[in-house]
Amino acid sequence: MGDEETGSEWSHILGEAKAGPLKGERLTIIPSVMTNWEAWHEKYPHTSVTMIERSAREFQTDMLRLGHMFGIALVHNGQARLWPFDRLSERTLVHDRLGDLQLLVHFDRDSCTPVVWNRRVGEKQLTFVAVSDDELIVDRETGSTWEPQTGAATGGPLAGTKLDALPAIVTFQSAWKRFHPDSTIWSPE
Amino acid sequence: MRLAVLLVVFALLGIVTTCVVVYRVEEADGERRVKEFWMQTVDEYRPQPVLEPLPAIVRPPAISAKEAENRIASNELVLGVEINGAARAYPINMLTGPKREIFNDTLGGRQIAATW
């Protein structure tokens, strides 16, 4: 992509200017989530929605048929890691680590929603287990219940607390490997 | 048939962005294959633009969830962002290329670009 103000050329996936006056500058990645409209609207009833003419129709929840091509990925302190959708589908709650970050990776197949949370809250490092229907998760340390899609604690001692969202992005697996040749790739044990 | 590479929201340095396409996926015999990539790596910069620069899309219209009721399907994928209590969904079917890919927008007091 390019910017009109300086004519610099930017890499989408790195968020970095590769040529032009701003070469070397980096954009800040803001945490976002890919999900379906029903799930987003339910969690954020006050949401607005951008509405212009569609340029495609193929991005539906069934995009998971392309799970072998896509994944969710994160860079932290120069370390890159990719969680491929087709591997996450085997296990929805993944406790993982990237450098000094303790992570929770959750993938909701019904709404095609991958999320990556920091599982440290204050001084506590939380460990999560899924409960019955997989809609809510519970942490072992305090017994609080959490919504994995919003990172919000809805019950128990930590009710009202939110997990910190990390700036993970949905990406083609092949593109991620090309731009981050040293990236590690998560695999179930 | 084209699919996008990634899902990112960037904070802008007060910059409006214009798009050049990065890759292309084509569908043949019901199977999708990546046909073309913007060839660049961290160390090399050798872009191969496949489109002329496009006009920037700045602040595309947004409506309330209630107004959107019959205009978006429940199973359509969106890129959802919440900033300072303000939430917005960017339907990927409206954001995808080849002539889109970037929405320059303002949300929760921040200047952002939603890209796909």
Side-chain angles (χ1 to χ4, degrees), chain A residues 72-94:
Chain A
I72 187 159
L74 177 69
V75 179
H76 174 69
N77 287 346
Q79 284 183 278
R81 191 145 168 85
L82 171 71
W83 294 269
F85 284 176
D86 50 340
R87 294 185 185 173
L88 282 176
S89 65
E90 297 167 27
R91 201 161 54 158
T92 56
L93 269 181
V94 175

Side-chain angles (χ1 to χ4, degrees), chain A residues 38-39 42-43 92-93 106-113 115 117 129-138 145-152 154:
Chain A
E38 182 179 29
E42 187 193 324
K43 305 294 185 205
T92 56
L93 269 181
H106 182 270
F107 191 50
D108 179 70
R109 291 185 65 79
D110 289 343
S111 60
C112 196
T113 311
V115 289
W117 301 110
V129 288
V131 290
S132 57
D133 59 0
D134 199 33
E135 288 280 308
L136 290 175
I137 56 178
V138 173
T145 51
W146 301 78
E147 284 181 348
Q149 290 177 25
T150 60
T154 54

Side-chain angles (χ1 to χ4, degrees), chain B residues 1-115:
Chain B
M1 191 71 74
R2 294 167 188 87
L3 267 175
V5 176
L6 72 152
L7 173 62
V8 192
V9 177
F10 291 117
L12 292 182
L13 309 162
I15 284 166
V16 172
T17 42
T18 309
C19 177
V20 253
V21 155
V22 182
Y23 62 89
R24 181 172 299 164
V25 173
E26 289 184 1
E27 188 167 291
D29 306 323
E31 198 175 330
R32 287 179 181 172
R33 289 193 185 82
V34 176
K35 286 294 198 191
E36 202 168 346
F37 262 108
W38 176 316
M39 298 292 288
Q40 75 187 66
T41 69
V42 179
D43 300 320
E44 306 172 66
Y45 181 67
R46 290 184 303 170
Q48 300 175 355
V50 294
L51 284 182
E52 290 299 307
L54 304 161
I57 300 172
V58 182
R59 292 204 192 187
I63 60 179
S64 69
K66 190 173 170 51
E67 290 171 313
E69 213 164 288
N70 296 313
R71 300 178 65 182
I72 179 165
S74 59
N75 69 345
E76 276 191 78
L77 292 179
V78 301
L79 168 52
V81 193
E82 189 191 36
I83 302 174
N84 298 328
R88 184 159 293 167
Y90 298 99
I92 296 170
N93 284 326
M94 301 175 194
L95 180 54
T96 192
K99 299 199 170 178
R100 304 271 174 88
E101 311 230 336
I102 304 170
F103 290 162
N104 298 273
D105 210 354
T106 305
L107 187 69
R110 291 192 80 175
Q111 304 289 319
I112 66 172
T115 85

Side-chain angles (χ1 to χ4, degrees), chain A residues 15-183:
Chain A
E16 181 183 336
K18 304 298 284 184
L22 295 179
K23 183 176 177 181
E25 293 280 352
R26 281 181 178 270
L27 300 173
T28 306
I29 301 180
I30 296 172
S32 62
V33 61
M34 183 183 78
T35 184
N36 71 20
W37 168 245
E38 182 179 29
W40 178 258
H41 185 201
E42 187 193 324
K43 305 294 185 205
Y44 299 90
H46 63 292
T47 190
S48 55
V49 51
T50 293
M51 189 60 58
I52 64 173
E53 193 186 341
R54 279 173 180 72
S55 47
R57 299 208 170 263
E58 73 245 42
F59 291 102
Q60 314 285 344
T61 310
D62 71 351
M63 178 184 143
L64 275 180
R65 70 190 186 283
L66 301 173
H68 61 288
M69 291 174 66
F70 287 92
I72 187 159
L74 177 69
V75 179
H76 174 69
N77 287 346
Q79 284 183 278
R81 191 145 168 85
L82 171 71
W83 294 269
F85 284 176
D86 50 340
R87 294 185 185 173
L88 282 176
S89 65
E90 297 167 27
R91 201 161 54 158
T92 56
L93 269 181
V94 175
H95 294 77
D96 204 354
R97 205 183 88 168
L98 185 60
D100 59 349
L101 266 186
Q102 295 288 340
L103 306 170
L104 175 71
V105 183
H106 182 270
F107 191 50
D108 179 70
R109 291 185 65 79
D110 289 343
S111 60
C112 196
T113 311
V115 289
V116 182
W117 301 110
N118 186 338
R119 61 191 177 91
R120 180 169 283 281
V121 173
E123 295 300 302
K124 284 195 174 66
Q125 184 175 300
L126 302 178
T127 314
F128 295 90
V129 288
V131 290
S132 57
D133 59 0
D134 199 33
E135 288 280 308
L136 290 175
I137 56 178
V138 173
D139 76 74
R140 271 191 204 144
E141 288 72 16
T142 75
S144 303
T145 51
W146 301 78
E147 284 181 348
Q149 290 177 25
T150 60
T154 54
L158 293 179
T161 308
K162 284 197 84 170
L163 298 174
D164 287 332
L166 296 165
I169 64 170
V170 172
T171 174
F172 269 134
Q173 295 182 20
S174 55
W176 187 260
K177 292 171 192 169
R178 183 190 294 272
F179 283 84
H180 297 279
D182 298 328
S183 177

